Amino acid sequence: MTNRQWLLSERPIGMVSEKNFSLMESAMPVPDAAKGEVLIKNLMLSFDPAMRGWMDDKPSYLPPVAINEAMRAAGIGQVIESSNPDLPKGTLVQGMVGWQEYLTAGPQSMFPPNALPEGTPPNIALSVLGGTSLTAYFGLLRIGEPKAGDTVVVSGAAGATGSAAAQIAKIKGCKVIGIAGGKEKCDWLLNAGLDAVVDYKSENISQRLAELCPDGINIFFDNVGGDALEAAIENAADNARFILCGSISNYNDASPKPGPKNMFYLIAKRIRMQGFIMFDYIEEVDVAMADLIQWLTDGKLQWREDIQEGFENIPKTLLRLFDGSNQGKQLLKLADPE
Ligand SMILES: NC(=O)c1ccc[n+]([C@@H]2O[C@H](COP(=O)([O-])OP(=O)(O)OC[C@H]3O[C@@H](n4cnc5c(N)ncnc54)[C@H](OP(=O)(O)O)[C@@H]3O)[C@@H](O)[C@H]2O)c1
């Protein structure tokens, strides 16, 4: 039996492309039972914009993926060979499974999705009950501190993180405006209960925000950076909270663009701007998950999944995040659980 892996073979300069990866066949990995390792079959991969940053040789919150290492990726696998009673055969595990069909890992790096209800399918565990919804939850509630009646603007609003953040803000009684690319995504957001949308591909963001937020923006949940961030600063209310979650509009820039040119408003309007990484709140996952499950059960959270298939399609699936072709949480299915 052989394993297949997609390796990072060169670091992208500018936009990531399929050419940055190479497919390798190798022998099946053998778990080291003395270290508690088990053999895992990969079932489903998550695709996250942050993966673009992991490909650069730059200091960040995780080390860069090494050249000729299997590309790092979160996902869900199933234990198929085990002598570890904590991870018996058949257990579904979550963690950095990487772009490979099989991997070995110990309980330190792979864990059963404990906070999830028994039998939660991999796609749900990676989408509406996955890391992007947790990111939305912690960013909005812990940094944004929304109050009923606040005006909240979310960029990248039709994506996995943005759509969760926007709907949680609605649950908290806020007026919510989403910024997204194209009519189809904007219509979906209105259908999910947002008060208004800005289609940044056909509308001037700053002008539309001025019309839609006459008293200014109290909370900006930013997934995009660039023009959206500048427009939100322009239209911020006094004492606004800016949650810097992501900056996807510049992840593929070969050299950084100049930042927002209106930073003086942070002083004049007393804006608080704070970045965060979801892992900062790992101790609170059970609390967040209980709320997300409740909202899901009550029909208050809508979500979309874009599930591609086929090991050979892994690199091109990553590109979907950067041209906006993903319709909701981007996943790729490799196999069904046994
Ligand atoms: N801080 C954290 O811990 C954390 C954790 C998870 C995710 N994030 C961040 O959250 C953001 C969203 O991630 P996600 O996984 O939920 O992905 P996603 O929003 O489901 O998919 C990415 C979306 O970004 C938009 N986009 C791509 N290129 C763009 C550009 N040049 N300008 C404007 N919009 C662009 C596209 O939507 P349109 O079609 O609407 O353009 C695309 O569908 C990313 O910035 C990511 O890095 C942060």
Side-chain angles (χ1 to χ4, degrees):
M1 280 172 76
T2 54
N3 191 16
R4 286 192 297 169
Q5 300 180 304
W6 278 105
L7 310 182
L8 175 66
S9 47
E10 61 177 23
R11 300 201 186 279
I13 298 167
M15 181 57 78
V16 55
S17 94
E18 289 182 63
K19 285 191 253 149
N20 302 134
F21 305 98
S22 57
L23 182 59
M24 195 183 79
E25 270 195 30
S26 55
M28 195 68 144
V30 179
D32 184 343
K35 291 185 186 156
E37 284 184 356
V38 298
L39 183 62
I40 295 165
K41 180 180 181 183
N42 240 337
L43 302 180
M44 188 163 279
L45 295 172
S46 169
F47 289 80
D48 296 278
M51 294 164 73
R52 174 63 187 84
W54 303 341
M55 298 170 73
D56 289 334
D57 189 12
K58 288 186 188 149
S60 187
Y61 63 98
L62 285 178
V65 177
I67 293 297
N68 291 331
E69 185 185 352
M71 182 61 201
R72 180 188 297 137
I76 299 234
Q78 187 168 34
V79 176
I80 57 166
E81 200 182 296
S82 171
S83 53
N84 181 340
D86 293 335
L87 291 177
K89 189 172 169 184
T91 311
L92 293 190
V93 287
Q94 194 163 356
M96 291 295 179
V97 292
W99 285 4
Q100 49 204 347
E101 289 176 307
Y102 298 93
L103 66 148
T104 60
Q108 298 79 16
S109 56
M110 290 291 149
F111 49 92
N114 281 330
L116 295 177
E118 179 85 22
T120 302
N123 54 308
I124 301 292
L126 291 173
S127 62
V128 67
L129 296 181
T132 43
S133 291
L134 290 171
T135 301
Y137 182 98
F138 293 128
L140 184 76
L141 300 185
R142 298 292 179 267
I143 298 175
E145 300 173 348
K147 297 184 296 298
D150 277 348
T151 296
V152 177
V153 174
V154 180
S155 64
T161 310
S163 61
Q167 292 178 84
I168 296 171
K170 277 308 300 174
I171 291 167
K172 295 293 170 185
C174 302
K175 169 180 163 181
V176 183
I177 293 138
I179 306 173
K183 184 173 182 329
E184 198 275 339
K185 289 187 179 184
C186 287
D187 287 349
W188 183 79
L189 287 169
L190 290 174
N191 201 38
L194 270 65
D195 296 284
V197 283
V198 179
D199 177 355
Y200 76 90
K201 291 193 173 162
S202 64
E203 296 178 303
N204 179 295
I205 306 175
S206 190
Q207 268 173 23
R208 280 293 285 150
L209 289 180
E211 289 161 15
L212 294 167
C213 313
D215 299 322
I217 299 166
N218 301 113
I219 298 179
F220 181 52
F221 191 106
D222 192 17
N223 290 307
V224 168
D227 294 345
L229 176 57
E230 192 167 283
I233 294 173
E234 199 76 25
N235 290 286
D238 283 357
N239 301 304
R241 284 85 73 200
F242 274 49
I243 305 154
L244 300 193
C245 176
S247 189
I248 194 167
S249 68
N250 48 45
Y251 289 174
N252 285 290
D253 288 348
S255 52
K257 289 196 188 80
K261 56 179 182 283
N262 50 3
M263 291 295 277
F264 175 72
Y265 280 137
L266 267 72
I267 302 162
K269 300 182 183 188
R270 291 85 161 169
I271 297 171
R272 172 160 62 82
M273 197 181 259
Q274 186 181 332
F276 76 106
I277 297 292
M278 188 270 279
F279 303 126
D280 302 343
Y281 298 91
I282 207 79
E283 302 290 328
E284 294 184 63
V285 162
D286 286 3
V287 175
M289 200 55 86
D291 278 343
L292 291 169
I293 290 167
Q294 189 61 54
W295 294 331
L296 198 57
T297 312
D298 295 345
K300 291 181 177 166
L301 266 187
Q302 296 188 36
W303 79 103
R304 294 204 289 187
E305 295 164 356
D306 185 326
I307 307 181
Q308 303 292 305
E309 292 198 22
F311 192 81
E312 60 288 356
N313 293 323
I314 290 175
K316 60 166 80 83
T317 299
L318 178 63
L319 309 187
R320 297 173 66 79
L321 293 171
F322 301 111
D323 65 14
S325 45
N326 65 307
Q327 306 283 339
K329 176 67 203 172
Q330 185 66 66
L331 302 170
L332 182 139
K333 183 173 131 180
L334 291 169
D336 284 315
E338 280 167 24

